[in-house]
Amino acid sequence: MSQRITLEPVDEIPSDCRVCHYDELEEEAKAQVPLLIDTPAEAEIDDADGSADAFEGCDLVKYTEYYAVSAD
């Protein structure tokens, strides 16, 4: 089953959000971050490999910037 994960840059970081730093993500999620940023329209994550779950506890991901995480 596929789940659509998007990462969108944000300018402000709310004090109550959960931030996951790139280097703290699981390997599968780390591999997806550049793809989600560079080609968000084509990016889907397969739940079977567990990479979608790695973003579950995150409101924002800190990579080169802060990115809001959303799942469809």
Side-chain angles (χ1 to χ4, degrees):
M1 175 160 172
S2 291
Q3 181 174 12
R4 187 162 199 73
I5 303 289
T6 58
L7 297 180
E8 296 191 27
V10 295
D11 294 324
E12 295 185 25
I13 295 92
S15 62
D16 63 342
C17 72
R18 298 165 296 176
V19 177
C20 297
H21 290 261
Y22 173 80
D23 61 347
E24 298 172 336
L25 296 173
E26 297 173 12
E27 292 303 315
E28 296 87 3
K30 283 183 184 179
Q32 293 295 327
V33 169
L35 298 173
L36 292 168
I37 293 168
D38 293 338
T39 57
E42 293 94 33
E44 285 189 354
I45 293 178
D46 189 345
D47 287 339
D49 68 8
S51 56
D53 292 340
F55 293 101
E56 188 173 310
C58 304
D59 297 319
L60 300 173
V61 171
K62 172 69 170 114
Y63 184 55
T64 55
E65 300 178 50
Y66 286 91
Y67 293 89
V69 178
S70 62
D72 298 338

